[in-house]
Amino acid sequence: MKVLVPVKRVVDYNVKVRVKSDGTGVDIANVKMSMNPFDEIAVEEAVRLKEKGVVTEIVAVSCGVSQCQETLRTAMAIGADRAILVETSEELQPLAVAKLIKAVADKEQPQLVIMGKQAIDDDANQTGQMFAALAGWSQATFASEVSVADGKAQVKREIDGGLETLSINLPAVVTTDLRLNEPRYVTLPNIMKAKKKPLDTMTPADLGVDVTPRLKTVKVAEPASRSAGEMVPDVATLVDKLKNVAKVI
């Protein structure tokens, strides 16, 4: 069984994000970039399925600038067998990414697509669902446990009321949540091996996909600064401040 794992290059989660002075976006100049953490979990899950003998090939795919090759090399160091870069300098929005992944899936014919539930830069949480709709595939989102057998995937997901278990037919798309697994540490030997694994490059035009942005970012601004907390001696003082200072009760 072949698994396709889309991965995204984002600002590293340890970096304090700065907004550009003109408010047009986030400043990424000289900023450390890394693989989206949810996508890293998706790669790890695909590798674990391969180690169980369920999966035979893992293909990582990324859409974006040429530097995304570094992200794909990381995916291959974790355990992906090969990678595909859909290279473009255009701003890619969730629908465009979903169309690109569908075009790649049409060429590769995977039985399962595992991707992060959202990217930590835009927090859109749309690409997996849009891909499933475009492809007409089954979908299970926010997975905290995944097993595959007999042409079906059983996915346990966390919901407000507890846990929900879904059984879906393949081909399917699964989006990963934080509790699904803990990605392995990438060792130096595996990083060296990843350099020799095949990485193909194509463009949206090669796939026949129009990635022209449909949405326009009007303004990006930092959240309003909050005043420091205050210690109070007793409950009566707390209630008084909530009522007369904060005016929330």
Side-chain angles (χ1 to χ4, degrees):
M1 184 174 78
K2 183 189 292 187
V3 173
L4 192 70
V5 185
V7 295
K8 186 177 183 181
R9 178 176 180 263
V10 298
V11 175
D12 189 87
Y13 67 91
N14 289 311
V15 173
K16 179 174 172 52
V17 176
R18 295 170 299 173
V19 175
K20 292 180 180 178
S21 58
D22 59 2
T24 57
V26 172
D27 185 7
I28 60 172
N30 302 314
V31 170
K32 181 184 177 184
M33 308 291 282
S34 62
M35 186 191 301
N36 177 45
F38 290 103
D39 297 340
E40 197 171 359
I41 292 169
V43 177
E44 172 67 25
E45 190 63 23
V47 173
R48 292 188 184 191
L49 288 172
K50 186 177 180 182
E51 291 171 344
K52 292 176 182 176
V54 176
V55 171
T56 55
E57 185 181 24
I58 302 169
V59 182
V61 58
S62 189
C63 308
V65 294
S66 60
Q67 289 90 333
C68 291
Q69 291 185 34
E70 301 168 11
T71 308
L72 289 170
R73 292 292 178 194
T74 301
M76 289 190 285
I78 295 173
D81 298 294
R82 57 188 177 90
I84 298 170
L85 171 62
V86 183
E87 188 174 346
T88 176
S89 57
E90 285 274 2
E91 176 197 351
L92 292 177
Q93 295 174 351
L95 180 58
V97 176
K99 289 180 177 180
L100 290 172
I101 295 171
K102 180 184 181 299
V104 172
D106 288 342
K107 292 171 67 73
E108 293 291 332
Q109 294 295 307
Q111 286 73 52
L112 184 63
V113 172
I114 307 178
M115 66 175 76
K117 69 172 184 178
Q118 64 194 72
I120 61 172
D121 52 1
D122 57 17
D123 278 331
N125 182 17
Q126 296 175 339
T127 306
Q129 293 90 326
M130 287 178 168
F131 167 77
L134 291 170
W137 287 15
S138 309
Q139 64 172 305
T141 55
F142 317 129
S144 60
E145 188 178 315
V146 177
S147 60
V148 180
D150 302 324
K152 290 181 179 289
Q154 186 161 301
V155 180
K156 188 174 291 185
R157 57 196 301 269
E158 296 181 10
I159 58 175
D160 291 342
L163 294 175
E164 178 181 60
T165 302
L166 302 177
S167 179
I168 56 178
N169 294 321
L170 299 181
V173 55
V174 173
T175 69
T176 62
D177 214 335
L178 282 175
R179 292 177 180 82
L180 179 58
N181 62 53
E182 184 175 341
R184 67 195 65 192
Y185 177 76
V186 180
T187 61
L188 182 59
N190 286 336
I191 292 173
M192 300 306 293
K193 289 177 184 177
K195 293 181 179 180
K196 298 180 181 179
K197 292 182 178 180
L199 194 160
D200 298 326
T201 302
M202 57 187 69
T203 65
D206 295 336
L207 297 171
V209 176
D210 178 13
V211 295
T212 304
R214 296 168 179 264
L215 305 174
K216 180 181 178 181
T217 301
V218 178
K219 184 180 180 182
V220 176
E222 293 188 11
S225 59
R226 297 189 298 176
S227 58
E230 181 182 345
M231 298 291 291
V232 294
D234 51 44
V235 174
T237 307
L238 173 61
V239 172
D240 178 67
K241 287 187 175 294
L242 290 174
K243 184 175 182 181
N244 300 312
V245 180
K247 299 188 184 299
V248 294
I249 58 174

